[in-house]
Amino acid sequence: MEWFKRVTPGLEPQTKRELPDGLWIKCDNCGEILYKKELDRNLQVCTKCAFHFRMNSDQYIQLLADEDSFVEFNRHILPADPLKFKDTKKYSDRLRDAAAKTGLEEAVRTGRCQLSGMPIILVAMDFRFIGGSMGSVVGEKISRATDIAIQEQKPLVIISASGGARMQEGALSLMQMAKTSAKLALLSDAKLPYISILTDPTTGGVTASFSMLGDIILAEPGALIGFAGPRVIKQTIGQDLPEGFQRSEFLLTHGFVDVIVHRAEMKNHVAQILSYFAQPAAPGKKIRTAPKPRTAAVPVAKSAKSRTAAKGKKTRSTTERSPRENSADE
Amino acid sequence: MANFVLDFEKPILEIERRIAELREFSNSEDMELHKEIERLETKAQKLRLEVYSKLTRWQRVQLARHPNRPYTLDYIDNMMTDFIELHGDRAFGDDPAIVAGIGKIDGIPVTLIGHQKARDTREKIRRNFGMPHPEGYRKALRVMRLAARFNRPIICLIDTPGAYPGLGAEERGQAEAIARNLFEMAHLPVPIIIVIIGEGASGGALGIGVGDRILMMENTWFSVITPEGCAAILYRNSANAPQAAEAMRVTPPDLLELKVIDRILPEPPGGAHNDHVAAAHIVKKAILDELAQLGQLKGEELVLQRVAKYAQMGVWSE
Ligand SMILES: [Zn+2]
């Protein structure tokens, strides 16, 4: 199931080579000159070689959610700079620049929507915002989205696109891996389906937490998916990496992806899978009823305290607000 | 153990060497020499306090990597009885970078899992420098599930520079193995105590590092990536590791302040590498304390508390 061979290496930013007049784009993979409008119509997939260009969260929401059905929640959760981190650039400046460049508050968007008429909780990461990296806000928004899925008894769909955990928040970023995975354990206990969609790239701490925990894992063709980045592996083993290493097809071969799905087919696939899980047991046959979900309610941490983030802004943790309140910003 | 001395340890060790020399040549009647020895001992003590009270974050990282530091098997030797190591993930193989087994601490049956580093070259290679493959995490999970079935507490000792970034590791699903452990450890209905005994780097550490209590030895570090890895990416030069260690705030006091860990365990004078037995005693006592508290809770309560504990982690504004 290989539509094409991707020749661009690793985690390098995918550059859509726009030609000077702005109407044409050169395909990174096959070199074909593509009419921009044609590429837009074709869901950012090369009409000649089926190379999947990266898409942003808007485009993915449009791809999966029924028209005008997506209602975002928790946009008001904003990044802080708990470590006062500075390398060659201040983290606070990086955040501000990323926000200005993308119009996003963070690297993930979460909300309710309909998918082919079925209500779901949808999470879409956005690689443009600091490489889609996961810090406290990404972890918190995904955790709350999972809480809401449990509370409203809805399936969860997460589209991953990330270079991994965000270094600028140190161990706090690392702990988001445990946090999101722990919430998914509750979702699983509540017998609600979670579909994980892997896009280019999905690596590091994101792959090693919620991305790989889907009940069903779908991947776009040719996406880079792995734990360690190709450059680190190459350096460690001191040899070139085999062709196709860490691509979707490689993961399928090794048993870590259920289905590779062409972008044009993605919505249909997700809908079909969701309807399988949603359908009541076949009539006439006696089926042992499953025990009631153990954790319909979200556990409340008694010790949850508000914390003070950078600049003395009041911060609070998820457990202080009910999911209803969470969506107050809609 | 080979003699290995960090730069900032040198002045202290120099005085200690003088003391040893004087002791050797002094006879019991020589009061002058006795006085000199006493004076030097006070001086060494003062210097040690001074040096260790203002270690930089990078110096702390170096101590965490000290080759004479006790490793998982040293702790097992010094704080457990009747330990039986269990091998293999029942699917692919056995990963020597992770030790797992059953035994007793003060008569209490527990399951213990830990990263394993080594001191001599051959053994280092066999243990892969404490960098696990997927089968290591899957072995750990198998043994943890066994513990949960028989209601045995789980102790995890963390000491790794990271999960191994190699071809086989990726082929066999390093990311899936770690993710699965995070997911399963979140809802195992028995007490899980994590002790960071050396290095705690990234998902490689976290893969056996989710629990009810997270304790950290005094001279250790824990973060999302190694200081070298962070420096290589953000400064484009791994030589900037000391700055990266500062920027990421990787030491126990930092992480206590950020509410990532629960408790810091003080080490014997001069660090755990100076006294393995005393270090193990400190860890053993802390484990017993925590077990006494966690033992009061039912499995379901433990799980809810654990999930809530992680749910609070992170800093954001809203
Ligand atoms: Zn093409």
Side-chain angles (χ1 to χ4, degrees), chain A residues 34-50:
Chain A
L34 303 163
Y35 188 42
K36 209 174 162 191
K37 281 193 177 148
E38 182 63 24
L39 191 61
D40 289 343
R41 264 197 297 275
N42 205 39
L43 304 167
Q44 312 299 321
V45 175
C46 173
T47 46
K48 188 175 175 219
C49 74

Side-chain angles (χ1 to χ4, degrees), chain A residues 27 29-30 32 46 48-49 51:
Chain A
C27 173
N29 189 59
C30 71
E32 180 79 354
C46 173
K48 188 175 175 219
C49 74
F51 175 81

Side-chain angles (χ1 to χ4, degrees), chain A residues 137-159:
Chain A
V137 172
V138 170
E140 180 63 16
K141 284 173 91 167
I142 291 177
S143 295
R144 286 198 204 181
T146 311
D147 285 345
I148 294 170
I150 295 170
Q151 203 112 106
E152 299 179 3
Q153 298 279 297
K154 287 177 185 165
L156 177 68
V157 177
I158 301 182
I159 304 154

